[in-house]
Amino acid sequence: MKNTVLSKLRNLDAYPKVNEDFFTRSLSGGIITLVSSLAILLLVFSEFRLYLHTATETKLLVDTSRGETLRINFDVTFPAIPCSILSVDAMDISGEQHLDIKHDIIKKRINTNGDVIESKPDGIGAPKIEKPLQRHGGRLEQNETYCGSCFGAEQSDDDCCNSCEEVRDAYRRKGWAMTNADLIDQCKREGFFERIKEQEGEGCNVQGSLEVNRVAGNFHFAPGKTFHQSNIFFDDLMSVHKDSYNISHRINRLAFGEYFPGVVNPLDGGHWTHETSNGMYQYFIKVVPTIYTDIRGRTVNSNQYSVTEHFKDLEYISPNSQPGVFFYYDFSPIKVTFKEEHSSFLHFITNICAVIGGIFTVAGIIDTFVYHGQRRMKKKMEIGKFR
C-alpha cells in the first residue's frame, strides 16, 4: 500500500530528471546562461529598489470639514513702497475684518538695491513722548494720567487716544480720513510724517502669517490704513496722498498651510513690475485642501492652490479705489489626500519569481532555437561534403 502511494506521488512529478550522461553542453548555451543570469541580477536589483521606494497614492474626497481656521504664510517685497505707509488687511465673507494687522508680521526696510536697512516686528519702536497734550487741552503734568484727545473721533467721553496710531484707529472707526494729520499732537511729537519723509524712496519686505477663518475672503497689501465707508474702502493717509503708488512687487513665498513633500506654490518667486500711473493688482486663488500622510503615519493638514491674475487700472475705473496688491481666495469642495506606501513583501516576492521564471523560460526557448539551428546547419554542411 505504501509503495503504491509513493509511486503515485512519483508520477505527479512535474520536473522529471534527466541522467547526466545525456546532457550536452554548448558554447551558445553558456553565453545565453551568462546573459540571462546578468539580466536576472539587474532586474532583481531593480525590483528591490522599487520595493524600498515609497509610492504615493492619491485620492479625491468631498471636503466635509468646517469650523476650522487657515494659516496663510507670506513673504512679499515692494521695492517702491516704504514700510511706514504699507499696511496688511484681511476680511472674509462672514463680515470679519482685520485692518492694519501687526501681529506675527515683520517689516524690513530695504534700499533701492534690495539691501535690508532695518528689520523689526510691526508696531514696535515708537519714540518716547514727553509732555503730550491732554484731552482737555493742557499739557501732561506730574502725577497726572495721560489721556490724549481723539480730535472729535471719540466714541464715548472716556475714550483716549494716546498715540498717533490710536488717533488713526479712531478716525477709521468713524469712517474719516486724516486730512489734518499735520495738526494732530500725537503724530507731530512721534515724528509720524518725518518718518514717512525719511523713508521716501525706500522699499519694504513684509513677511509673516495670518490666521483667518476657513471661508472665502481676501487679504491685501496697500499704502495707508484702510477704512470702510459706503461699501468702499479708502486710504486714511489723504494728507500725504500721492498721485500714484508704484505697486511693483515680488512674491518670495505664499503658502496656505504647512509645507509637505511635493507641494508646489505657483506664486513663489513671481514678480510684477508697475507700468501705469495707479492700479490694483489682483490674484484670484482657488485653495484645495490637502492631507499628506508619510510612510511613518505622520499626517500634515495643508493646502495647495491654483491662481489667476488681473490688473485693474484705477485711473479709468474709480478715483476713490484703493491701490495695492489684493489676494482673493476661495475653497474647493474637493479634498486631495496623498499617502506614502511601500509595496507589500508578497508583491515583491511575486515579482522576483516572475522575473527569474520568465527569464529562464525565454532563455530556454532561445537556447533551443540556437541549438537545433546549429545542428541542422551542421548536418547540411556534412551532406554537402559527401556530395
Side-chain angles (χ1 to χ4, degrees):
M1 182 69 179
K2 182 178 179 181
N3 292 333
T4 304
V5 173
L6 293 176
S7 177
K8 289 182 177 180
L9 286 175
R10 192 178 294 112
N11 291 332
L12 292 175
D13 186 4
Y15 309 100
K17 313 304 182 292
V18 179
N19 195 309
E20 292 185 2
D21 295 337
F22 299 100
F23 284 151
T24 301
R25 302 185 185 278
S26 63
L27 177 62
S28 61
I31 295 174
I32 292 172
T33 301
L34 180 61
V35 172
S36 61
S37 298
L38 290 175
I40 288 173
L41 286 175
L42 180 63
L43 292 178
V44 167
F45 179 71
S46 176
E47 285 293 333
F48 184 68
R49 287 188 60 190
L50 288 174
Y51 172 68
L52 295 179
H53 179 71
T54 56
T56 303
E57 181 185 8
T58 305
K59 290 183 180 179
L60 298 180
L61 305 170
V62 175
D63 185 17
T64 58
S65 59
R66 56 185 179 180
E68 299 178 358
T69 58
L70 171 69
R71 177 170 287 271
I72 304 173
N73 303 301
F74 58 84
D75 182 351
V76 184
T77 299
F78 294 86
I81 299 182
C83 291
S84 57
I85 65 171
L86 188 63
S87 67
V88 183
D89 308 319
M91 55 201 71
D92 58 46
I93 59 173
S94 68
E96 186 169 330
Q97 298 182 19
H98 301 277
L99 304 180
D100 196 24
I101 302 169
K102 298 183 181 297
H103 184 63
D104 290 335
I105 291 179
I106 295 176
K107 291 182 178 178
K108 298 179 182 179
R109 294 170 55 191
I110 57 176
N111 59 23
T112 53
N113 297 321
D115 302 321
V116 177
I117 301 172
E118 181 184 25
S119 174
K120 64 180 180 180
D122 199 12
I124 295 178
K128 183 179 178 182
I129 304 173
E130 295 186 4
K131 291 238 173 184
L133 185 67
Q134 290 278 54
R135 187 175 62 180
H136 54 68
R139 291 287 175 181
L140 178 66
E141 301 296 337
Q142 290 184 348
N143 302 322
E144 272 191 322
T145 301
Y146 177 48
C147 179
S149 172
C150 295
F151 298 90
E154 299 90 346
Q155 291 185 325
S156 68
D157 293 338
D158 298 328
D159 282 353
C160 300
C161 295
N162 297 339
S163 67
C164 182
E165 193 72 25
E166 292 181 3
V167 176
R168 292 176 67 193
D169 285 337
Y171 268 53
R172 177 181 53 79
R173 287 193 295 268
K174 284 282 190 178
W176 299 349
M178 285 183 65
T179 56
N180 59 340
D182 54 332
L183 302 178
I184 293 175
D185 181 67
Q186 291 91 325
C187 295
K188 286 194 297 183
R189 284 181 292 98
E190 289 181 15
F192 176 73
F193 291 98
E194 286 76 5
R195 190 161 64 248
I196 291 178
K197 291 177 182 178
E198 176 192 350
Q199 296 184 16
E200 192 169 351
E202 294 180 359
C204 187
N205 171 257
V206 188
Q207 55 183 265
S209 61
L210 303 174
E211 195 82 25
V212 298
N213 295 325
R214 202 177 183 85
V215 295
N218 79 82
F219 65 98
H220 57 265
F221 302 87
K225 186 180 293 187
T226 304
F227 68 91
H228 184 256
Q229 189 178 70
S230 301
N231 295 321
I232 300 176
F233 290 93
F234 293 92
D235 172 9
D236 77 327
L237 294 177
M238 291 190 175
S239 56
V240 292
H241 201 284
K242 296 164 61 177
D243 292 334
S244 66
Y245 289 99
N246 186 337
I247 60 170
S248 298
H249 59 279
R250 181 175 66 255
I251 302 174
N252 305 306
R253 179 172 180 257
L254 179 65
F256 291 78
E258 299 180 45
Y259 169 83
F260 62 88
V263 64
V264 176
N265 297 319
L267 286 178
D268 286 4
H271 182 267
W272 184 82
T273 303
H274 176 91
E275 295 177 350
T276 58
S277 59
N278 220 346
M280 174 191 297
Y281 205 83
Q282 300 170 311
Y283 294 94
F284 297 93
I285 298 171
K286 180 67 73 172
V287 180
V288 182
T290 304
I291 298 177
Y292 186 90
T293 305
D294 65 15
I295 197 65
R296 298 180 181 178
R298 292 179 297 191
T299 299
V300 177
N301 288 284
S302 188
N303 301 275
Q304 303 176 87
Y305 66 88
S306 61
V307 62
T308 56
E309 308 169 21
H310 177 68
F311 176 73
K312 184 186 291 185
D313 193 339
L314 300 183
E315 182 179 358
Y316 303 106
I317 299 176
S318 171
N320 293 324
S321 296
Q322 184 185 22
V325 179
F326 290 72
F327 297 86
Y328 298 90
Y329 57 88
D330 197 0
F331 290 88
S332 168
I334 301 299
K335 177 187 294 183
V336 180
T337 64
F338 296 109
K339 187 176 182 181
E340 288 185 346
E341 293 180 334
H342 275 310
S343 60
S344 68
F345 183 71
L346 287 177
H347 183 72
F348 169 68
I349 293 298
T350 302
N351 287 349
I352 293 298
C353 293
V355 166
I356 295 174
I359 291 180
F360 264 121
T361 301
V362 172
I365 294 172
I366 294 174
D367 180 61
T368 300
F369 277 113
V370 171
Y371 176 70
H372 288 292
Q374 286 178 339
R375 286 189 65 183
R376 288 181 180 178
M377 288 179 64
K378 192 174 181 181
K379 284 182 180 180
K380 288 181 179 180
M381 290 174 64
E382 290 176 352
I383 293 172
K385 285 181 181 179
F386 287 119
R387 287 182 180 178

Coordinates of all heavy atoms in Angstrom, one line a residue, residues 233-277:
F233 N -13.7 101.0 0.2 CA -12.5 101.1 1.1 C -11.6 102.2 0.6 O -11.3 102.3 -0.5 CB -11.7 99.7 1.0 CG -12.5 98.6 1.7 CD1 -13.3 97.8 0.9 CD2 -12.4 98.4 3.0 CE1 -14.0 96.8 1.5 CE2 -13.1 97.4 3.7 CZ -13.9 96.6 2.9
F234 N -11.3 103.1 1.6 CA -10.5 104.3 1.3 C -9.1 104.2 2.1 O -9.0 103.4 3.0 CB -11.2 105.5 1.8 CG -12.4 105.8 1.0 CD1 -13.7 105.4 1.4 CD2 -12.4 106.6 -0.2 CE1 -14.8 105.7 0.7 CE2 -13.5 106.9 -0.9 CZ -14.7 106.4 -0.5
D235 N -8.2 105.0 1.6 CA -6.9 105.1 2.2 C -7.0 106.3 3.2 O -7.5 107.4 2.9 CB -5.9 105.5 1.1 CG -4.5 105.8 1.6 OD1 -4.3 105.7 2.8 OD2 -3.7 106.2 0.8
D236 N -6.5 106.0 4.5 CA -6.7 107.1 5.5 C -5.6 108.1 5.5 O -5.7 109.1 6.1 CB -6.7 106.4 6.9 CG -5.3 106.0 7.4 OD1 -4.5 105.7 6.5 OD2 -5.0 106.1 8.6
L237 N -4.6 107.9 4.6 CA -3.5 108.9 4.6 C -3.7 110.0 3.5 O -2.8 110.2 2.7 CB -2.1 108.2 4.4 CG -1.7 107.3 5.5 CD1 -0.4 106.5 5.1 CD2 -1.5 108.0 6.8
M238 N -4.8 110.6 3.5 CA -5.1 111.5 2.4 C -4.3 112.8 2.5 O -4.1 113.5 1.6 CB -6.6 111.9 2.5 CG -7.5 110.7 2.0 SD -9.2 111.2 1.8 CE -9.9 109.6 1.2
S239 N -3.8 113.1 3.8 CA -3.0 114.3 3.9 C -1.6 114.1 3.3 O -0.9 115.1 3.1 CB -2.8 114.7 5.4 OG -2.3 113.6 6.1
V240 N -1.2 112.9 3.1 CA 0.1 112.6 2.4 C -0.1 111.8 1.2 O 0.8 111.1 0.7 CB 1.1 111.9 3.4 CG1 1.5 112.7 4.5 CG2 0.5 110.6 3.9
H241 N -1.3 111.9 0.6 CA -1.6 111.0 -0.5 C -0.8 111.5 -1.8 O -0.8 112.7 -2.1 CB -3.1 111.1 -0.8 CG -3.6 109.9 -1.6 ND1 -3.4 109.8 -2.9 CD2 -4.3 108.8 -1.2 CE1 -4.0 108.7 -3.4 NE2 -4.5 108.1 -2.3
K242 N -0.3 110.6 -2.5 CA 0.4 110.8 -3.7 C -0.5 110.6 -4.9 O -1.5 110.0 -4.8 CB 1.7 109.9 -3.8 CG 2.7 110.2 -2.7 CD 3.7 109.0 -2.7 CE 4.5 108.8 -3.9 NZ 5.5 107.8 -3.8
D243 N -0.1 111.1 -6.0 CA -0.9 110.9 -7.2 C -0.9 109.5 -7.6 O -1.9 109.0 -8.2 CB -0.3 111.8 -8.4 CG -0.5 113.3 -8.2 OD1 -1.5 113.6 -7.4 OD2 0.2 114.1 -8.7
S244 N 0.2 108.8 -7.3 CA 0.2 107.3 -7.7 C 1.2 106.6 -6.8 O 2.1 107.2 -6.2 CB 0.6 107.2 -9.2 OG 2.0 107.6 -9.3
Y245 N 1.0 105.3 -6.7 CA 1.9 104.5 -5.9 C 2.4 103.4 -6.9 O 1.6 102.8 -7.6 CB 1.2 103.8 -4.7 CG 0.8 104.8 -3.6 CD1 -0.5 105.3 -3.5 CD2 1.8 105.1 -2.7 CE1 -0.8 106.1 -2.5 CE2 1.4 106.0 -1.7 CZ 0.1 106.5 -1.6 OH -0.2 107.4 -0.5
N246 N 3.7 103.2 -6.8 CA 4.3 102.1 -7.6 C 4.1 100.8 -6.8 O 4.8 100.5 -5.8 CB 5.8 102.4 -7.8 CG 6.5 101.4 -8.7 OD1 6.0 100.3 -8.9 ND2 7.6 101.8 -9.3
I247 N 3.2 100.0 -7.3 CA 2.9 98.7 -6.6 C 3.6 97.5 -7.2 O 3.2 96.4 -7.1 CB 1.3 98.4 -6.6 CG1 0.8 98.3 -8.1 CG2 0.6 99.5 -5.9 CD1 -0.6 97.8 -8.2
S248 N 4.8 97.8 -7.8 CA 5.6 96.7 -8.2 C 5.9 95.8 -7.0 O 6.1 96.3 -5.9 CB 7.0 97.2 -8.8 OG 6.7 98.0 -9.9
H249 N 5.9 94.5 -7.2 CA 6.1 93.6 -6.1 C 6.7 92.3 -6.5 O 6.6 91.9 -7.7 CB 4.8 93.3 -5.4 CG 3.7 92.7 -6.2 ND1 2.9 93.5 -7.1 CD2 3.3 91.4 -6.4 CE1 2.1 92.7 -7.7 NE2 2.3 91.4 -7.3
R250 N 7.3 91.6 -5.6 CA 7.9 90.3 -5.8 C 7.4 89.3 -4.7 O 7.5 89.7 -3.5 CB 9.4 90.3 -5.9 CG 10.0 88.9 -6.1 CD 11.5 89.0 -6.3 NE 12.2 89.4 -5.0 CZ 12.7 90.6 -4.8 NH1 12.7 91.5 -5.8 NH2 13.3 90.9 -3.7
I251 N 6.7 88.2 -5.1 CA 6.2 87.3 -4.1 C 7.3 86.2 -3.9 O 7.5 85.3 -4.7 CB 4.9 86.6 -4.5 CG1 3.9 87.7 -4.8 CG2 4.4 85.7 -3.5 CD1 2.6 87.2 -5.4
N252 N 8.0 86.3 -2.8 CA 9.1 85.4 -2.5 C 8.5 84.0 -2.0 O 9.0 83.0 -2.3 CB 10.0 85.9 -1.4 CG 10.6 87.3 -1.7 OD1 11.2 87.4 -2.8 ND2 10.4 88.3 -0.9
R253 N 7.3 84.1 -1.3 CA 6.7 82.9 -0.8 C 5.2 83.2 -0.5 O 4.9 84.3 0.2 CB 7.4 82.4 0.4 CG 6.8 81.1 1.0 CD 7.6 80.5 2.1 NE 7.0 79.3 2.6 CZ 6.4 79.2 3.8 NH1 6.3 80.2 4.5 NH2 5.8 78.0 4.2
L254 N 4.4 82.3 -0.9 CA 3.0 82.4 -0.5 C 2.4 81.0 -0.3 O 2.4 80.3 -1.3 CB 2.1 83.2 -1.5 CG 0.6 83.3 -1.1 CD1 0.4 84.1 0.2 CD2 -0.2 83.9 -2.2
A255 N 2.1 80.6 0.9 CA 1.6 79.2 1.2 C 0.4 79.3 2.1 O 0.3 80.1 3.0 CB 2.7 78.4 1.8
F256 N -0.5 78.4 1.8 CA -1.7 78.3 2.6 C -1.6 77.0 3.4 O -2.0 75.9 3.0 CB -3.0 78.2 1.7 CG -3.3 79.5 1.0 CD1 -2.6 79.9 -0.1 CD2 -4.3 80.3 1.5 CE1 -2.9 81.1 -0.8 CE2 -4.6 81.5 0.9 CZ -3.9 81.9 -0.3
G257 N -1.0 77.1 4.6 CA -0.8 75.9 5.4 C 0.7 75.5 5.5 O 1.6 76.2 4.9
E258 N 0.9 74.3 6.1 CA 2.2 73.8 6.3 C 2.8 73.3 5.0 O 2.1 72.9 4.1 CB 2.2 72.8 7.4 CG 1.8 73.2 8.7 CD 1.8 72.1 9.7 OE1 2.8 71.4 9.8 OE2 0.8 72.0 10.5
Y259 N 4.1 73.2 5.0 CA 4.8 72.5 3.9 C 4.7 71.0 3.9 O 4.7 70.4 5.0 CB 6.3 72.9 3.9 CG 7.2 72.1 2.9 CD1 7.3 72.4 1.6 CD2 7.8 71.0 3.4 CE1 8.0 71.7 0.7 CE2 8.6 70.2 2.5 CZ 8.7 70.6 1.2 OH 9.4 69.8 0.3
F260 N 4.6 70.4 2.8 CA 4.7 68.9 2.7 C 5.4 68.5 1.5 O 5.5 69.3 0.5 CB 3.3 68.3 2.8 CG 2.4 68.6 1.7 CD1 2.4 67.9 0.5 CD2 1.5 69.7 1.7 CE1 1.6 68.2 -0.6 CE2 0.7 70.1 0.7 CZ 0.7 69.3 -0.5
P261 N 6.1 67.4 1.4 CA 6.9 67.0 0.2 C 6.1 67.0 -1.0 O 5.0 66.5 -1.1 CB 7.3 65.6 0.6 CG 7.3 65.5 2.1 CD 6.1 66.4 2.5
G262 N 6.6 67.6 -2.0 CA 6.0 67.6 -3.4 C 5.0 68.8 -3.6 O 4.5 69.0 -4.7
V263 N 4.8 69.7 -2.6 CA 3.9 70.8 -2.7 C 4.5 71.8 -3.7 O 5.7 72.1 -3.7 CB 3.5 71.4 -1.4 CG1 4.8 72.1 -0.7 CG2 2.5 72.5 -1.6
V264 N 3.7 72.4 -4.6 CA 4.1 73.4 -5.5 C 3.3 74.7 -5.3 O 2.0 74.6 -5.5 CB 4.0 73.0 -7.0 CG1 4.4 74.1 -7.9 CG2 4.9 71.8 -7.2
N265 N 3.9 75.8 -4.9 CA 3.2 77.0 -4.7 C 3.4 77.9 -5.9 O 4.5 78.4 -6.1 CB 3.6 77.8 -3.4 CG 3.4 77.0 -2.2 OD1 2.3 76.4 -2.0 ND2 4.3 76.9 -1.3
P266 N 2.4 78.0 -6.8 CA 2.7 78.6 -8.1 C 3.1 80.1 -8.1 O 3.7 80.6 -9.0 CB 1.3 78.5 -8.9 CG 0.3 78.2 -7.8 CD 1.0 77.5 -6.7
L267 N 2.8 80.8 -7.0 CA 3.2 82.2 -6.9 C 4.6 82.5 -6.3 O 5.1 83.6 -6.4 CB 2.2 83.0 -6.1 CG 0.8 83.3 -6.7 CD1 -0.1 84.0 -5.8 CD2 1.0 84.1 -8.0
D268 N 5.2 81.4 -5.8 CA 6.6 81.6 -5.2 C 7.5 82.1 -6.3 O 7.7 81.4 -7.4 CB 7.1 80.3 -4.6 CG 6.4 80.0 -3.3 OD1 5.5 80.7 -2.9 OD2 6.7 79.0 -2.7
G269 N 8.2 83.2 -6.0 CA 9.2 83.7 -7.0 C 8.6 84.6 -8.0 O 9.3 85.1 -8.9
G270 N 7.3 84.8 -8.0 CA 6.6 85.6 -9.0 C 6.9 87.1 -8.8 O 7.1 87.6 -7.7
H271 N 7.1 87.8 -10.0 CA 7.4 89.2 -9.9 C 6.6 90.0 -10.9 O 6.3 89.5 -12.0 CB 8.9 89.4 -10.3 CG 9.4 90.8 -10.2 ND1 9.4 91.6 -11.3 CD2 9.8 91.6 -9.2 CE1 9.8 92.8 -11.0 NE2 10.1 92.8 -9.7
W272 N 6.1 91.2 -10.5 CA 5.3 92.0 -11.4 C 5.8 93.5 -11.3 O 6.0 94.0 -10.2 CB 3.8 92.0 -11.0 CG 3.0 92.8 -12.0 CD1 2.5 92.4 -13.2 CD2 2.5 94.1 -11.8 NE1 1.8 93.4 -13.8 CE2 1.7 94.4 -13.0 CE3 2.6 95.0 -10.8 CZ2 1.1 95.7 -13.1 CZ3 2.0 96.3 -10.9 CH2 1.3 96.6 -12.1
T273 N 6.0 94.1 -12.4 CA 6.6 95.5 -12.4 C 5.5 96.5 -12.8 O 4.8 96.3 -13.8 CB 7.7 95.6 -13.5 OG1 8.7 94.6 -13.1 CG2 8.3 97.0 -13.4
H274 N 5.4 97.5 -12.0 CA 4.4 98.6 -12.2 C 4.7 99.4 -13.5 O 5.8 99.8 -13.7 CB 4.4 99.5 -11.0 CG 3.5 100.7 -11.1 ND1 2.3 100.7 -10.6 CD2 3.7 102.0 -11.5 CE1 1.7 101.9 -10.7 NE2 2.6 102.7 -11.3
E275 N 3.7 99.5 -14.3 CA 3.9 100.2 -15.6 C 3.0 101.4 -15.8 O 3.2 102.3 -16.7 CB 3.8 99.3 -16.8 CG 4.9 98.2 -16.8 CD 4.7 97.2 -17.9 OE1 3.6 97.3 -18.6 OE2 5.6 96.4 -18.1
T276 N 1.8 101.5 -15.1 CA 0.9 102.5 -15.3 C 0.9 103.5 -14.1 O 1.6 103.3 -13.1 CB -0.6 101.9 -15.5 OG1 -0.9 101.2 -14.3 CG2 -0.6 101.1 -16.7
S277 N 0.0 104.5 -14.2 CA 0.1 105.6 -13.1 C -0.4 105.1 -11.8 O 0.1 105.5 -10.8 CB -0.8 106.8 -13.6 OG -2.1 106.3 -13.9

